[in-house]
Short mmCIF file of all heavy atoms in Angstrom, two decimals:
data_model
loop_
_atom_site.label_atom_id
_atom_site.label_comp_id
_atom_site.label_asym_id
_atom_site.label_seq_id
_atom_site.Cartn_x
_atom_site.Cartn_y
_atom_site.Cartn_z
N PRO A 1 131.35 101.16 101.25
CA PRO A 1 130.41 101.60 100.21
C PRO A 1 129.21 102.33 100.80
O PRO A 1 128.86 102.15 101.96
CB PRO A 1 129.99 100.28 99.54
CG PRO A 1 130.18 99.24 100.60
CD PRO A 1 131.36 99.70 101.42
N GLY A 2 128.57 103.17 99.98
CA GLY A 2 127.35 103.83 100.41
C GLY A 2 127.49 105.31 100.63
O GLY A 2 126.57 105.95 101.16
N GLY A 3 128.62 105.90 100.23
CA GLY A 3 128.77 107.34 100.37
C GLY A 3 129.42 107.77 101.67
O GLY A 3 128.90 108.65 102.37
N ALA A 4 130.56 107.15 102.02
CA ALA A 4 131.27 107.52 103.26
C ALA A 4 131.59 109.00 103.27
O ALA A 4 132.12 109.55 102.31
CB ALA A 4 132.56 106.70 103.36
N TYR A 5 131.28 109.67 104.38
CA TYR A 5 131.54 111.12 104.45
C TYR A 5 131.85 111.58 105.86
O TYR A 5 133.00 111.82 106.21
CB TYR A 5 130.35 111.89 103.88
CG TYR A 5 130.70 113.35 103.63
CD1 TYR A 5 131.49 113.71 102.55
CD2 TYR A 5 130.26 114.36 104.49
CE1 TYR A 5 131.85 115.04 102.33
CE2 TYR A 5 130.61 115.69 104.28
CZ TYR A 5 131.39 116.02 103.20
OH TYR A 5 131.75 117.32 102.99
N GLY A 6 130.85 111.75 106.71
CA GLY A 6 131.08 112.24 108.07
C GLY A 6 131.89 111.25 108.89
O GLY A 6 131.83 110.03 108.67
N LEU A 7 132.64 111.77 109.89
CA LEU A 7 133.57 110.93 110.64
C LEU A 7 133.73 111.46 112.06
O LEU A 7 133.93 112.65 112.27
CB LEU A 7 134.92 110.89 109.93
CG LEU A 7 136.04 110.05 110.53
CD1 LEU A 7 135.65 108.58 110.58
CD2 LEU A 7 137.32 110.22 109.72
N ALA A 8 133.64 110.55 113.03
CA ALA A 8 133.89 110.88 114.43
C ALA A 8 134.53 109.67 115.09
O ALA A 8 134.43 108.54 114.59
CB ALA A 8 132.60 111.27 115.15
N TYR A 9 135.18 109.90 116.24
CA TYR A 9 135.91 108.82 116.89
C TYR A 9 135.59 108.77 118.38
O TYR A 9 135.65 109.78 119.08
CB TYR A 9 137.42 109.00 116.69
CG TYR A 9 138.23 107.89 117.32
CD1 TYR A 9 138.24 106.61 116.77
CD2 TYR A 9 138.98 108.11 118.47
CE1 TYR A 9 138.96 105.59 117.36
CE2 TYR A 9 139.72 107.10 119.05
CZ TYR A 9 139.70 105.83 118.50
OH TYR A 9 140.42 104.82 119.08
N ASP A 10 135.27 107.56 118.85
CA ASP A 10 135.02 107.28 120.26
C ASP A 10 136.29 106.68 120.84
O ASP A 10 136.60 105.50 120.62
CB ASP A 10 133.85 106.30 120.38
CG ASP A 10 133.47 105.97 121.81
OD1 ASP A 10 134.33 106.13 122.71
OD2 ASP A 10 132.34 105.52 122.05
N ALA A 11 137.04 107.49 121.58
CA ALA A 11 138.34 107.05 122.09
C ALA A 11 138.22 105.96 123.15
O ALA A 11 139.09 105.11 123.29
CB ALA A 11 139.11 108.24 122.67
N LYS A 12 137.14 105.96 123.91
CA LYS A 12 136.96 104.97 124.97
C LYS A 12 136.72 103.58 124.42
O LYS A 12 137.16 102.58 125.00
CB LYS A 12 135.80 105.40 125.87
CG LYS A 12 135.62 104.53 127.10
CD LYS A 12 134.53 105.11 127.99
CE LYS A 12 134.34 104.28 129.26
NZ LYS A 12 133.29 104.86 130.14
N ARG A 13 136.07 103.50 123.26
CA ARG A 13 135.70 102.20 122.68
C ARG A 13 136.43 101.89 121.38
O ARG A 13 136.15 100.87 120.75
CB ARG A 13 134.18 102.18 122.45
CG ARG A 13 133.39 102.32 123.73
CD ARG A 13 131.95 102.73 123.50
NE ARG A 13 131.27 102.97 124.77
CZ ARG A 13 131.37 104.11 125.47
NH1 ARG A 13 132.09 105.10 124.98
NH2 ARG A 13 130.75 104.23 126.61
N SER A 14 137.31 102.76 120.96
CA SER A 14 138.08 102.60 119.72
C SER A 14 137.15 102.40 118.52
O SER A 14 137.41 101.58 117.64
CB SER A 14 139.06 101.43 119.82
OG SER A 14 140.03 101.66 120.81
N LEU A 15 136.08 103.19 118.48
CA LEU A 15 135.10 103.09 117.40
C LEU A 15 135.18 104.32 116.50
O LEU A 15 135.13 105.46 116.99
CB LEU A 15 133.69 102.98 117.96
CG LEU A 15 133.28 101.68 118.62
CD1 LEU A 15 131.90 101.81 119.24
CD2 LEU A 15 133.30 100.53 117.62
N ALA A 16 135.31 104.08 115.21
CA ALA A 16 135.21 105.15 114.22
C ALA A 16 133.79 105.12 113.67
O ALA A 16 133.34 104.09 113.14
CB ALA A 16 136.22 104.95 113.10
N TRP A 17 133.09 106.25 113.77
CA TRP A 17 131.72 106.34 113.26
C TRP A 17 131.74 107.06 111.92
O TRP A 17 132.22 108.19 111.83
CB TRP A 17 130.83 107.07 114.26
CG TRP A 17 130.54 106.25 115.47
CD1 TRP A 17 131.19 106.27 116.67
CD2 TRP A 17 129.51 105.25 115.60
NE1 TRP A 17 130.65 105.35 117.54
CE2 TRP A 17 129.61 104.72 116.92
CE3 TRP A 17 128.53 104.76 114.74
CZ2 TRP A 17 128.76 103.72 117.38
CZ3 TRP A 17 127.68 103.77 115.21
CH2 TRP A 17 127.80 103.26 116.51
N VAL A 18 131.22 106.40 110.89
CA VAL A 18 131.23 106.91 109.53
C VAL A 18 129.80 107.04 109.03
O VAL A 18 129.03 106.06 109.09
CB VAL A 18 132.03 105.98 108.59
CG1 VAL A 18 132.05 106.54 107.16
CG2 VAL A 18 133.45 105.76 109.11
N THR A 19 129.43 108.21 108.53
CA THR A 19 128.11 108.34 107.94
C THR A 19 128.14 107.96 106.47
O THR A 19 129.12 108.22 105.77
CB THR A 19 127.55 109.77 108.08
OG1 THR A 19 128.34 110.67 107.29
CG2 THR A 19 127.56 110.24 109.52
N LEU A 20 127.06 107.33 106.02
CA LEU A 20 126.90 106.93 104.62
C LEU A 20 125.75 107.76 104.06
O LEU A 20 124.57 107.42 104.23
CB LEU A 20 126.60 105.44 104.52
CG LEU A 20 127.56 104.49 105.24
CD1 LEU A 20 127.15 103.04 105.01
CD2 LEU A 20 128.99 104.72 104.80
N THR A 21 126.07 108.86 103.40
CA THR A 21 125.03 109.76 102.93
C THR A 21 124.22 109.17 101.78
O THR A 21 123.08 109.56 101.56
CB THR A 21 125.62 111.11 102.51
OG1 THR A 21 126.54 110.92 101.43
CG2 THR A 21 126.35 111.77 103.68
N GLY A 22 124.80 108.23 101.04
CA GLY A 22 124.08 107.61 99.94
C GLY A 22 123.07 106.58 100.41
O GLY A 22 122.23 106.13 99.62
N ARG A 23 123.11 106.23 101.70
CA ARG A 23 122.20 105.22 102.24
C ARG A 23 121.43 105.69 103.48
O ARG A 23 120.64 104.93 104.02
CB ARG A 23 122.98 103.95 102.61
CG ARG A 23 123.62 103.26 101.42
CD ARG A 23 124.35 102.00 101.85
NE ARG A 23 124.95 101.30 100.71
CZ ARG A 23 125.68 100.19 100.81
NH1 ARG A 23 125.91 99.66 102.01
NH2 ARG A 23 126.19 99.64 99.73
N ASN A 24 121.70 106.91 103.95
CA ASN A 24 121.10 107.39 105.20
C ASN A 24 121.39 106.40 106.34
O ASN A 24 120.49 105.90 107.02
CB ASN A 24 119.59 107.59 105.05
CG ASN A 24 119.24 108.71 104.09
OD1 ASN A 24 119.93 109.72 104.03
ND2 ASN A 24 118.18 108.54 103.33
N GLN A 25 122.67 106.15 106.56
CA GLN A 25 123.11 105.24 107.60
C GLN A 25 124.35 105.80 108.30
O GLN A 25 125.07 106.65 107.75
CB GLN A 25 123.46 103.86 107.02
CG GLN A 25 122.28 103.10 106.47
CD GLN A 25 122.70 101.74 105.89
OE1 GLN A 25 123.87 101.48 105.63
NE2 GLN A 25 121.72 100.87 105.68
N VAL A 26 124.60 105.29 109.51
CA VAL A 26 125.86 105.53 110.20
C VAL A 26 126.37 104.18 110.67
O VAL A 26 125.61 103.34 111.14
CB VAL A 26 125.69 106.52 111.38
CG1 VAL A 26 124.77 105.97 112.47
CG2 VAL A 26 127.04 106.92 111.94
N VAL A 27 127.68 103.97 110.51
CA VAL A 27 128.29 102.68 110.81
C VAL A 27 129.42 102.89 111.82
O VAL A 27 130.23 103.83 111.67
CB VAL A 27 128.85 102.00 109.54
CG1 VAL A 27 129.35 100.59 109.86
CG2 VAL A 27 127.80 101.96 108.45
N GLY A 28 129.49 102.02 112.83
CA GLY A 28 130.55 102.06 113.81
C GLY A 28 131.55 100.96 113.56
O GLY A 28 131.18 99.78 113.53
N TYR A 29 132.84 101.32 113.36
CA TYR A 29 133.90 100.36 113.10
C TYR A 29 134.89 100.33 114.26
O TYR A 29 135.39 101.38 114.69
CB TYR A 29 134.68 100.73 111.82
CG TYR A 29 133.88 100.60 110.55
CD1 TYR A 29 133.33 101.73 109.94
CD2 TYR A 29 133.70 99.36 109.94
CE1 TYR A 29 132.61 101.62 108.76
CE2 TYR A 29 132.97 99.25 108.77
CZ TYR A 29 132.44 100.38 108.18
OH TYR A 29 131.73 100.26 107.01
N ASP A 30 135.18 99.13 114.75
CA ASP A 30 136.26 98.95 115.71
C ASP A 30 137.57 99.01 114.93
O ASP A 30 137.79 98.23 114.00
CB ASP A 30 136.11 97.58 116.40
CG ASP A 30 137.08 97.39 117.55
OD1 ASP A 30 138.25 97.82 117.43
OD2 ASP A 30 136.69 96.79 118.56
N VAL A 31 138.46 99.94 115.30
CA VAL A 31 139.68 100.15 114.52
C VAL A 31 140.94 99.73 115.28
O VAL A 31 142.05 100.15 114.98
CB VAL A 31 139.81 101.62 114.07
CG1 VAL A 31 138.68 101.99 113.11
CG2 VAL A 31 139.83 102.58 115.26
N ARG A 32 140.79 98.85 116.26
CA ARG A 32 141.95 98.43 117.05
C ARG A 32 142.86 97.45 116.31
O ARG A 32 144.05 97.37 116.61
CB ARG A 32 141.49 97.80 118.36
CG ARG A 32 140.94 98.78 119.36
CD ARG A 32 140.39 98.11 120.59
NE ARG A 32 139.14 97.40 120.29
CZ ARG A 32 138.36 96.84 121.21
NH1 ARG A 32 138.72 96.90 122.49
NH2 ARG A 32 137.23 96.25 120.87
N GLY A 33 142.32 96.67 115.39
CA GLY A 33 143.08 95.60 114.77
C GLY A 33 143.70 95.98 113.44
O GLY A 33 143.88 97.16 113.11
N GLY A 34 144.03 94.95 112.67
CA GLY A 34 144.69 95.15 111.38
C GLY A 34 143.80 95.73 110.32
O GLY A 34 144.29 96.26 109.32
N GLU A 35 142.48 95.64 110.51
CA GLU A 35 141.52 96.28 109.63
C GLU A 35 140.26 96.59 110.42
O GLU A 35 139.99 95.96 111.45
CB GLU A 35 141.19 95.40 108.43
CG GLU A 35 140.41 94.15 108.75
CD GLU A 35 140.05 93.36 107.50
OE1 GLU A 35 140.83 93.40 106.54
OE2 GLU A 35 139.00 92.72 107.51
N PRO A 36 139.48 97.59 109.98
CA PRO A 36 138.25 97.92 110.71
C PRO A 36 137.27 96.75 110.73
O PRO A 36 137.19 95.96 109.78
CB PRO A 36 137.68 99.10 109.90
CG PRO A 36 138.86 99.69 109.22
CD PRO A 36 139.76 98.53 108.88
N VAL A 37 136.54 96.63 111.84
CA VAL A 37 135.52 95.59 112.00
C VAL A 37 134.20 96.28 112.32
O VAL A 37 134.10 97.03 113.30
CB VAL A 37 135.89 94.60 113.12
CG1 VAL A 37 134.77 93.59 113.32
CG2 VAL A 37 137.21 93.89 112.81
N GLU A 38 133.19 96.04 111.49
CA GLU A 38 131.89 96.66 111.72
C GLU A 38 131.25 96.11 112.98
O GLU A 38 131.11 94.90 113.16
CB GLU A 38 130.97 96.43 110.52
CG GLU A 38 129.61 97.09 110.69
CD GLU A 38 128.70 96.91 109.48
OE1 GLU A 38 129.22 96.84 108.34
OE2 GLU A 38 127.47 96.85 109.68
N LYS A 39 130.84 97.04 113.88
CA LYS A 39 130.17 96.66 115.12
C LYS A 39 128.71 97.12 115.15
O LYS A 39 127.87 96.47 115.78
CB LYS A 39 130.91 97.27 116.30
CG LYS A 39 132.31 96.70 116.54
CD LYS A 39 132.25 95.23 116.93
CE LYS A 39 133.62 94.71 117.28
NZ LYS A 39 133.58 93.27 117.68
N TYR A 40 128.43 98.25 114.51
CA TYR A 40 127.08 98.81 114.55
C TYR A 40 126.72 99.40 113.20
O TYR A 40 127.60 99.87 112.46
CB TYR A 40 126.97 99.93 115.61
CG TYR A 40 127.33 99.52 117.00
CD1 TYR A 40 128.58 99.81 117.53
CD2 TYR A 40 126.41 98.85 117.81
CE1 TYR A 40 128.92 99.45 118.83
CE2 TYR A 40 126.74 98.49 119.10
CZ TYR A 40 128.00 98.79 119.60
OH TYR A 40 128.32 98.43 120.89
N ARG A 41 125.42 99.39 112.91
CA ARG A 41 124.90 100.06 111.72
C ARG A 41 123.47 100.50 112.03
O ARG A 41 122.63 99.69 112.44
CB ARG A 41 124.92 99.13 110.51
CG ARG A 41 124.47 99.79 109.19
CD ARG A 41 124.54 98.82 108.02
NE ARG A 41 125.93 98.47 107.71
CZ ARG A 41 126.63 98.98 106.72
NH1 ARG A 41 126.07 99.86 105.89
NH2 ARG A 41 127.88 98.61 106.50
N PHE A 42 123.19 101.80 111.83
CA PHE A 42 121.89 102.35 112.17
C PHE A 42 121.35 103.21 111.03
O PHE A 42 122.12 103.90 110.36
CB PHE A 42 121.97 103.23 113.42
CG PHE A 42 122.40 102.51 114.66
CD1 PHE A 42 123.70 102.68 115.15
CD2 PHE A 42 121.53 101.67 115.35
CE1 PHE A 42 124.11 102.03 116.29
CE2 PHE A 42 121.94 101.01 116.50
CZ PHE A 42 123.23 101.19 116.97
N PRO A 43 120.02 103.22 110.84
CA PRO A 43 119.42 104.17 109.89
C PRO A 43 119.43 105.57 110.49
O PRO A 43 119.31 105.74 111.72
CB PRO A 43 117.99 103.65 109.73
CG PRO A 43 117.71 102.91 111.01
CD PRO A 43 119.03 102.31 111.44
#
């Protein structure tokens, strides 16, 4: 939630970075498992 839009991937850490334009945030998800796991969230 929050306006998912921009997307980038860190291959070394298996992190998908998603920007939330509706909240002015970026969230880092570990995507190695059965579902993404939030690891980071920044304004």
Side-chain angles (χ1 to χ4, degrees):
Y5 193 75
L7 181 61
Y9 181 71
D10 182 338
K12 187 175 181 179
R13 298 162 185 82
S14 296
L15 288 174
W17 288 95
V18 181
T19 66
L20 308 181
T21 61
R23 296 181 178 178
N24 294 324
Q25 293 179 344
V26 64
V27 186
Y29 292 101
D30 188 321
V31 295
R32 288 175 289 188
E35 68 177 31
V37 176
E38 182 178 328
K39 293 294 185 180
Y40 303 100
R41 184 179 293 259
F42 298 105

